[in-house]
């Protein structure tokens, strides 16, 4: 009887954790954004290694611009979906209020930077007063060169990149902490369903063993 009760409890927990997930569109937009951010960092690091004036460097620069604009579109779409349609699962009941506040602050900070970074990046390009490549188009010069204003956006873009790396590190570290230490299913809520199921089983098995 005890074993049956324990099995039933484990099944109930599995169902509740399975259902307590972000909606599919939110998950897709989350991982699309993550992929685009990774592509931006890899492209800019590759650009620095290849050199600004080389043909390979120019190709990396084109990729960086395209993924930056794509990130802006993805984040705007994500915020729109989040505001009007998304299902946002609540924090785990045992999660301290301070930890919830820090998680929200980190999330809002990421959104702000993910909007600001493409804008500052485009501004530093436009303020050069020269034509530039964007996706498959050649964009003509949109304004006269403004070196003083451009230098402000260059600095803002570089500071924003460092801040973004810090917040991403905190975000990823917190997700791993929930997965490996707390084992409360927070990470699984944003994973694709097949991965979430695969990662949920051992966690439940470990809880049952205790």
């Amino acid at each position: 009887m005890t074993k049956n009760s324990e099995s039933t409890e484990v099944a109930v927990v599995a169902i509740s954790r399975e259902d307590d997930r972000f909606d599919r569109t939110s998950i897709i937009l989350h991982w699309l954004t993550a992929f685009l951010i990774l592509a931006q960092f890899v492209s800019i690091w590759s650009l620095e290694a290849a050199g600004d004036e080389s043909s390979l460097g120019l190709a990396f620069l084109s990729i960086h611009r395209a993924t930056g604009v794509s990130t802006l579109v993805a984040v705007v779409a994500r915020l729109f979906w989040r505001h009007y349609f998304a299902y946002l699962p609540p924090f785990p009941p045992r999660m301290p209020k301070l930890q919830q506040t820090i998680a929200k602050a980190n999330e809002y900070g990421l959104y702000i930077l993910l909007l600001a970074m493409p804008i500052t990046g485009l501004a530093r390009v436009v303020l050069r007063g020269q034509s530039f490549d964007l996706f498959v188009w050649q964009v003509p010069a949109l304004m006269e060169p403004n070196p003083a204003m451009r230098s402000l956006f260059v600095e803002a873009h570089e500071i924003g990149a460092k801040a973004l790396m810090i917040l991403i590190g905190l975000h990823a570290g917190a997700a791993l902490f929930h997965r490996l230490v707390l084992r409360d299913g927070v990470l699984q809520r944003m994973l694709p369903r097949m991965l979430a199921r695969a990662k949920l089983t051992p966690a439940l098995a470990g809880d049952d063993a205790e």
Side-chain angles (χ1 to χ4, degrees), residues 86-104:
Y87 170 69
L88 306 176
F91 288 111
R94 289 181 291 182
M95 187 173 177
K97 293 294 184 181
L98 178 60
Q99 193 174 341
Q100 294 181 27
T101 302
I102 294 173
K104 289 180 181 178

Side-chain angles (χ1 to χ4, degrees), residues 71-168:
T71 300
L72 180 61
V73 173
V75 172
V76 170
R78 187 173 174 182
L79 288 171
F80 178 83
W81 179 265
R82 176 189 175 91
H83 183 74
Y84 291 103
F85 306 108
Y87 170 69
L88 306 176
F91 288 111
R94 289 181 291 182
M95 187 173 177
K97 293 294 184 181
L98 178 60
Q99 193 174 341
Q100 294 181 27
T101 302
I102 294 173
K104 289 180 181 178
N106 182 272
E107 181 183 14
Y108 297 152
L110 282 171
Y111 278 127
I112 291 171
L113 286 174
L114 290 175
L115 290 172
M117 288 299 292
I119 293 172
T120 56
L122 282 174
R124 65 183 289 180
V125 173
V126 172
L127 288 168
R128 289 180 64 188
Q130 301 176 10
S131 62
F132 58 94
D133 295 327
L134 185 61
F135 297 106
V136 298
W137 300 290
Q138 179 77 20
V139 181
L142 301 176
M143 60 188 305
E144 293 296 320
N146 191 332
M149 184 66 70
R150 182 176 182 274
S151 64
L152 294 177
F153 282 101
V154 168
E155 185 175 359
H157 196 69
E158 292 175 353
I159 293 173
K162 293 182 176 68
L164 183 60
M165 284 192 289
I166 292 172
L167 290 186
I168 290 173

Side-chain angles (χ1 to χ4, degrees), residues 12-99:
V12 170
V13 171
I15 292 172
S16 63
R17 290 186 182 179
E18 178 88 8
D19 291 341
D20 193 24
R21 292 165 44 82
F22 287 89
D23 61 277
R24 180 178 298 179
T25 301
S26 294
I27 293 174
I28 291 172
L29 289 172
H30 175 274
W31 291 108
L32 173 61
T33 306
F35 171 78
L36 291 170
I37 294 169
L38 178 62
Q40 287 176 76
F41 279 112
V42 171
S43 62
I44 200 64
W45 292 333
S46 300
L47 167 63
E48 293 172 354
D52 297 350
E53 301 301 326
S54 67
S55 58
L56 185 58
L58 292 175
F60 285 129
L61 180 59
S62 180
I63 292 172
H64 187 72
R65 288 173 184 160
T67 52
V69 173
S70 298
T71 300
L72 180 61
V73 173
V75 172
V76 170
R78 187 173 174 182
L79 288 171
F80 178 83
W81 179 265
R82 176 189 175 91
H83 183 74
Y84 291 103
F85 306 108
Y87 170 69
L88 306 176
F91 288 111
R94 289 181 291 182
M95 187 173 177
K97 293 294 184 181
L98 178 60
Q99 193 174 341

